[in-house]
Amino acid sequence: MSALDKLTTLQQQLSTLQEQQAKALQERREEIGALAEAAGVLTVPNAVLLGLFRELRELPDSAPRLAELAEKGQDLAKPKRGRPAGTGTSKQAAKGGSSETATAGTETQE
């Protein structure tokens, strides 16, 4: 296999991975929207939600508050295809979010 063929293959693999990542992010956004609806917070102003998300992101992984929040959320959590209930809402996922996704839709509701 020539170097050009290898490069082409790698570019195709990268493109496939980028598409998979975009799909996973979109699914996660939809999942978070469904969680917000289930929790009854769709009418909470965006600034309040963002403040809460930032506060959550800043909690240490060992914070007892995380366990309290997870316990409160268990009754609303629903298992998703092959995932046990509650695994799609980890703080770790919140920590890994980009600033681009964190600032999307930040206009304040009145």
Side-chain angles (χ1 to χ4, degrees), residues 58-94:
E58 292 168 2
L59 285 173
D61 290 336
S62 60
R65 182 73 175 129
L66 288 177
E68 293 170 13
L69 291 170
E71 190 174 322
K72 281 185 176 183
Q74 273 311 104
D75 61 332
L76 293 177
K78 297 177 185 174
K80 187 175 178 184
R81 293 175 283 167
R83 273 200 302 196
T87 58
T89 59
S90 76
K91 180 173 158 273
Q92 201 63 14

Side-chain angles (χ1 to χ4, degrees), residues 22-43:
K23 181 181 177 187
L25 285 171
Q26 182 59 35
E27 288 174 359
R28 183 64 180 141
R29 287 181 184 110
E30 290 171 8
E31 183 179 29
I32 290 169
L35 290 170
E37 184 174 8
V41 297
L42 291 179
T43 59

